[in-house]
Amino acid sequence: MNSQPELRVLLSSEEIEARVKELATEIRGSYQDKHPLLIGVLKGSFMFMADLIRRLDFPLEVDFIRLSSYGGGTESSGRIKVGHTLRSPIKGRHVLVIEDIVDTGLTISFLLDYLRKKKPASLKLCALTDKPSRRRVPLDIDYLGFTVPDKFLVGYGLDWDEKFRYLPDICFIEEES
Ligand code: PRP
């Protein structure tokens, strides 16, 4: 991959906005009387989280967690450590985890196990995108925005080597032929 990759739009900001609105309607239906705790997984989920919660017009709380894989590379190693931890008590809360993308599923499986041990009243997952072709562990996504192909995605929070998170669209990097 060269230093100026060619980007093509996979999901436009308009498509994302429309789907986020639909997800918010679904989430409102289940959570409006539950005062849920929404936990965003940093960094990638920050933009999705910000847009989603602006559509949720009922009492809720927000927190963030930072997870990272041991070891480098673009593949998830499956060995995850918690960086920035949660301040919010989890026990007895209705918890909804917010992710930008589920790929192998290793990161989110780790997080769901970690949270489950803290005895929430309920625990569900909302992911903007899902790449099922890459899955290595079985996983149910309760609220899903889009199923995406096995391409390297950037924008709307997603990065390539920390670049392109700011893009309003979700784009894929065109492979060199
Ligand atoms: C991305 C994404 C998920 C994880 C998904 O995070 O935000 O947390 O990878 O991959 P997996 O399903 O294969 O585990 P990343 O580690 O790139 O960090 P970032 O959110 O800070 O960009």
Side-chain angles (χ1 to χ4, degrees):
M1 220 177 269
N2 63 34
S3 58
Q4 293 294 329
E6 193 175 334
L7 302 181
R8 293 188 190 275
V9 174
L10 178 70
L11 299 165
S12 69
S13 59
E14 292 80 10
E15 288 174 274
I16 296 168
E17 185 183 358
R19 189 68 188 116
V20 169
K21 200 171 165 185
E22 289 172 352
L23 287 172
T25 302
E26 278 185 61
I27 291 168
R28 185 186 303 111
S30 304
Y31 286 95
Q32 59 185 342
D33 302 323
K34 293 184 174 164
H35 195 234
L37 173 63
L38 272 60
I39 299 177
V41 184
L42 294 172
K43 301 179 196 175
S45 70
F46 75 96
M47 206 177 283
F48 177 39
M49 179 78 139
D51 284 347
L52 183 66
I53 64 169
R54 272 180 283 194
R55 301 268 180 196
L56 298 178
D57 50 356
F58 57 85
L60 56 83
E61 288 177 31
V62 171
D63 206 338
F64 290 93
I65 192 165
R66 177 106 175 92
L67 301 172
S68 50
S69 297
Y70 289 96
T74 54
E75 285 277 325
S76 189
S77 68
R79 293 184 301 136
I80 314 288
K81 67 180 174 184
V82 178
H84 171 85
T85 54
L86 297 165
R87 300 270 169 113
S88 314
I90 303 297
K91 191 171 181 183
R93 301 296 306 272
H94 292 281
V95 174
L96 181 60
V97 174
I98 309 294
E99 258 288 25
D100 52 326
I101 188 161
V102 179
D103 193 319
T104 63
L106 293 167
T107 304
I108 206 67
S109 291
F110 170 89
L111 178 59
L112 294 175
D113 287 346
Y114 173 86
L115 293 172
R116 208 170 282 118
K117 287 180 190 143
K118 296 180 184 290
K119 307 258 188 282
S122 67
L123 180 60
K124 291 195 173 183
L125 171 63
C126 173
L128 181 63
T129 61
D130 179 28
K131 235 185 235 182
S133 56
R134 301 249 312 157
R135 192 74 86 257
R136 287 172 56 189
V137 287
L139 191 65
D140 289 327
I141 301 176
D142 302 285
Y143 303 93
L144 173 63
F146 303 95
T147 300
V148 293
D150 185 10
K151 291 180 178 292
F152 201 100
L153 303 183
V154 295
Y156 200 72
L158 292 156
D159 75 306
W160 171 53
D161 196 19
E162 295 303 323
K163 300 180 184 75
F164 305 122
R165 290 195 199 272
Y166 60 87
L167 296 172
D169 305 317
I170 293 179
C171 301
F172 63 91
I173 295 182
E174 190 69 85
E175 303 280 345
E176 287 176 40
S177 52

mmCIF file of all heavy atoms in Angstrom, residues 41-44 66 76 99-107 159 165, ligand 1:
data_model
loop_
_atom_site.group_PDB
_atom_site.id
_atom_site.type_symbol
_atom_site.label_atom_id
_atom_site.label_comp_id
_atom_site.label_asym_id
_atom_site.label_seq_id
_atom_site.Cartn_x
_atom_site.Cartn_y
_atom_site.Cartn_z
ATOM 1 N N VAL A 41 -16.423 1.996 22.450
ATOM 2 C CA VAL A 41 -15.076 1.402 22.411
ATOM 3 C C VAL A 41 -14.175 2.337 21.596
ATOM 4 O O VAL A 41 -14.382 2.521 20.389
ATOM 5 C CB VAL A 41 -15.112 -0.010 21.792
ATOM 6 C CG1 VAL A 41 -13.725 -0.643 21.849
ATOM 7 C CG2 VAL A 41 -16.125 -0.889 22.517
ATOM 8 N N LEU A 42 -13.219 2.939 22.267
ATOM 9 C CA LEU A 42 -12.294 3.876 21.616
ATOM 10 C C LEU A 42 -11.237 3.134 20.812
ATOM 11 O O LEU A 42 -10.890 2.014 21.168
ATOM 12 C CB LEU A 42 -11.614 4.738 22.684
ATOM 13 C CG LEU A 42 -12.559 5.689 23.433
ATOM 14 C CD1 LEU A 42 -11.831 6.346 24.604
ATOM 15 C CD2 LEU A 42 -13.138 6.739 22.501
ATOM 16 N N LYS A 43 -10.699 3.797 19.750
ATOM 17 C CA LYS A 43 -11.132 5.133 19.412
ATOM 18 C C LYS A 43 -12.266 5.138 18.393
ATOM 19 O O LYS A 43 -13.006 6.095 18.263
ATOM 20 C CB LYS A 43 -9.949 5.916 18.789
ATOM 21 C CG LYS A 43 -8.740 6.061 19.646
ATOM 22 C CD LYS A 43 -7.672 6.828 18.846
ATOM 23 C CE LYS A 43 -6.331 6.680 19.469
ATOM 24 N NZ LYS A 43 -5.277 7.325 18.601
ATOM 25 N N GLY A 44 -12.339 4.082 17.604
ATOM 26 C CA GLY A 44 -13.140 4.094 16.381
ATOM 27 C C GLY A 44 -14.598 4.479 16.537
ATOM 28 O O GLY A 44 -15.210 4.993 15.596
ATOM 29 N N ARG A 66 -11.090 1.860 26.412
ATOM 30 C CA ARG A 66 -10.058 1.748 25.378
ATOM 31 C C ARG A 66 -9.474 0.347 25.478
ATOM 32 O O ARG A 66 -9.041 -0.081 26.546
ATOM 33 C CB ARG A 66 -8.962 2.783 25.653
ATOM 34 C CG ARG A 66 -7.798 2.729 24.703
ATOM 35 C CD ARG A 66 -7.849 3.900 23.746
ATOM 36 N NE ARG A 66 -6.671 3.925 22.891
ATOM 37 C CZ ARG A 66 -6.628 3.335 21.706
ATOM 38 N NH1 ARG A 66 -7.656 2.651 21.243
ATOM 39 N NH2 ARG A 66 -5.550 3.430 20.964
ATOM 40 N N SER A 76 -6.026 -8.738 14.479
ATOM 41 C CA SER A 76 -6.231 -8.791 15.910
ATOM 42 C C SER A 76 -5.534 -10.044 16.447
ATOM 43 O O SER A 76 -5.665 -11.125 15.886
ATOM 44 C CB SER A 76 -7.734 -8.862 16.177
ATOM 45 O OG SER A 76 -7.987 -8.716 17.528
ATOM 46 N N GLU A 99 -19.874 -0.152 19.082
ATOM 47 C CA GLU A 99 -18.647 -0.410 18.311
ATOM 48 C C GLU A 99 -18.781 0.166 16.904
ATOM 49 O O GLU A 99 -19.876 0.231 16.353
ATOM 50 C CB GLU A 99 -18.409 -1.922 18.182
ATOM 51 C CG GLU A 99 -17.359 -2.488 19.125
ATOM 52 C CD GLU A 99 -15.925 -2.093 18.762
ATOM 53 O OE1 GLU A 99 -15.713 -1.062 18.119
ATOM 54 O OE2 GLU A 99 -15.019 -2.841 19.152
ATOM 55 N N ASP A 100 -17.654 0.518 16.325
ATOM 56 C CA ASP A 100 -17.664 0.971 14.931
ATOM 57 C C ASP A 100 -17.625 -0.212 13.973
ATOM 58 O O ASP A 100 -18.290 -0.204 12.944
ATOM 59 C CB ASP A 100 -16.494 1.922 14.651
ATOM 60 C CG ASP A 100 -15.159 1.338 15.070
ATOM 61 O OD1 ASP A 100 -15.125 0.594 16.067
ATOM 62 O OD2 ASP A 100 -14.149 1.604 14.412
ATOM 63 N N ILE A 101 -16.848 -1.234 14.322
ATOM 64 C CA ILE A 101 -16.734 -2.379 13.408
ATOM 65 C C ILE A 101 -16.441 -3.663 14.191
ATOM 66 O O ILE A 101 -15.688 -3.640 15.165
ATOM 67 C CB ILE A 101 -15.649 -2.135 12.324
ATOM 68 C CG1 ILE A 101 -15.677 -3.245 11.266
ATOM 69 C CG2 ILE A 101 -14.259 -1.967 12.917
ATOM 70 C CD1 ILE A 101 -14.994 -2.860 9.953
ATOM 71 N N VAL A 102 -17.079 -4.737 13.773
ATOM 72 C CA VAL A 102 -16.741 -6.072 14.273
ATOM 73 C C VAL A 102 -16.093 -6.818 13.113
ATOM 74 O O VAL A 102 -16.673 -6.931 12.029
ATOM 75 C CB VAL A 102 -17.986 -6.837 14.772
ATOM 76 C CG1 VAL A 102 -17.582 -8.228 15.257
ATOM 77 C CG2 VAL A 102 -18.678 -6.068 15.891
ATOM 78 N N ASP A 103 -14.892 -7.293 13.382
ATOM 79 C CA ASP A 103 -14.098 -7.935 12.330
ATOM 80 C C ASP A 103 -13.948 -9.411 12.734
ATOM 81 O O ASP A 103 -14.872 -10.208 12.540
ATOM 82 C CB ASP A 103 -12.764 -7.176 12.275
ATOM 83 C CG ASP A 103 -11.921 -7.482 11.065
ATOM 84 O OD1 ASP A 103 -11.844 -8.659 10.687
ATOM 85 O OD2 ASP A 103 -11.311 -6.574 10.496
ATOM 86 N N THR A 104 -12.839 -9.765 13.361
ATOM 87 C CA THR A 104 -12.718 -11.144 13.846
ATOM 88 C C THR A 104 -13.694 -11.409 14.985
ATOM 89 O O THR A 104 -14.060 -12.553 15.253
ATOM 90 C CB THR A 104 -11.294 -11.419 14.368
ATOM 91 O OG1 THR A 104 -11.049 -10.564 15.485
ATOM 92 C CG2 THR A 104 -10.250 -11.186 13.299
ATOM 93 N N GLY A 105 -14.080 -10.353 15.697
ATOM 94 C CA GLY A 105 -14.963 -10.497 16.856
ATOM 95 C C GLY A 105 -14.199 -10.684 18.160
ATOM 96 O O GLY A 105 -14.795 -10.716 19.231
ATOM 97 N N LEU A 106 -12.880 -10.776 18.075
ATOM 98 C CA LEU A 106 -12.081 -11.068 19.276
ATOM 99 C C LEU A 106 -12.135 -9.920 20.284
ATOM 100 O O LEU A 106 -12.259 -10.147 21.488
ATOM 101 C CB LEU A 106 -10.629 -11.363 18.872
ATOM 102 C CG LEU A 106 -10.450 -12.656 18.073
ATOM 103 C CD1 LEU A 106 -9.059 -12.721 17.436
ATOM 104 C CD2 LEU A 106 -10.666 -13.873 18.959
ATOM 105 N N THR A 107 -12.068 -8.689 19.789
ATOM 106 C CA THR A 107 -12.088 -7.535 20.705
ATOM 107 C C THR A 107 -13.404 -7.478 21.463
ATOM 108 O O THR A 107 -13.438 -7.363 22.690
ATOM 109 C CB THR A 107 -11.892 -6.219 19.906
ATOM 110 O OG1 THR A 107 -10.686 -6.301 19.162
ATOM 111 C CG2 THR A 107 -11.864 -5.019 20.828
ATOM 112 N N ASP A 159 -9.816 4.118 11.049
ATOM 113 C CA ASP A 159 -8.524 4.652 10.602
ATOM 114 C C ASP A 159 -7.704 3.651 9.799
ATOM 115 O O ASP A 159 -7.935 2.442 9.853
ATOM 116 C CB ASP A 159 -7.687 5.064 11.813
ATOM 117 C CG ASP A 159 -7.101 3.849 12.551
ATOM 118 O OD1 ASP A 159 -7.878 2.946 12.915
ATOM 119 O OD2 ASP A 159 -5.875 3.793 12.732
ATOM 120 N N ARG A 165 -9.697 9.144 9.997
ATOM 121 C CA ARG A 165 -10.841 9.002 10.911
ATOM 122 C C ARG A 165 -11.871 10.104 10.685
ATOM 123 O O ARG A 165 -13.050 9.940 10.976
ATOM 124 C CB ARG A 165 -10.377 9.076 12.374
ATOM 125 C CG ARG A 165 -9.579 7.882 12.852
ATOM 126 C CD ARG A 165 -9.501 7.896 14.377
ATOM 127 N NE ARG A 165 -8.431 7.071 14.906
ATOM 128 C CZ ARG A 165 -8.537 5.774 15.190
ATOM 129 N NH1 ARG A 165 -9.661 5.144 14.974
ATOM 130 N NH2 ARG A 165 -7.517 5.102 15.677
HETATM 131 C C1 PRP B 1 -10.976 -1.827 15.720
HETATM 132 C C2 PRP B 1 -12.469 -1.671 16.000
HETATM 133 C C3 PRP B 1 -12.762 -2.784 16.946
HETATM 134 C C4 PRP B 1 -11.768 -3.848 16.562
HETATM 135 C C5 PRP B 1 -12.458 -4.894 15.755
HETATM 136 O O1 PRP B 1 -10.261 -1.193 16.712
HETATM 137 O O2 PRP B 1 -12.754 -0.406 16.545
HETATM 138 O O3 PRP B 1 -12.596 -2.387 18.295
HETATM 139 O O4 PRP B 1 -10.755 -3.234 15.764
HETATM 140 O O5 PRP B 1 -11.565 -5.921 15.407
HETATM 141 P P1 PRP B 1 -11.772 -7.430 15.810
HETATM 142 O O6 PRP B 1 -13.235 -7.754 15.662
HETATM 143 O O7 PRP B 1 -10.906 -8.167 14.819
HETATM 144 O O8 PRP B 1 -11.287 -7.625 17.210
HETATM 145 P P2 PRP B 1 -8.690 -0.905 16.595
HETATM 146 O O9 PRP B 1 -7.948 -1.970 17.343
HETATM 147 O O10 PRP B 1 -8.326 -0.683 15.162
HETATM 148 O O11 PRP B 1 -8.525 0.433 17.432
HETATM 149 P P3 PRP B 1 -9.203 1.878 17.182
HETATM 150 O O12 PRP B 1 -10.679 1.739 17.469
HETATM 151 O O13 PRP B 1 -8.513 2.758 18.169
HETATM 152 O O14 PRP B 1 -8.940 2.285 15.755
#
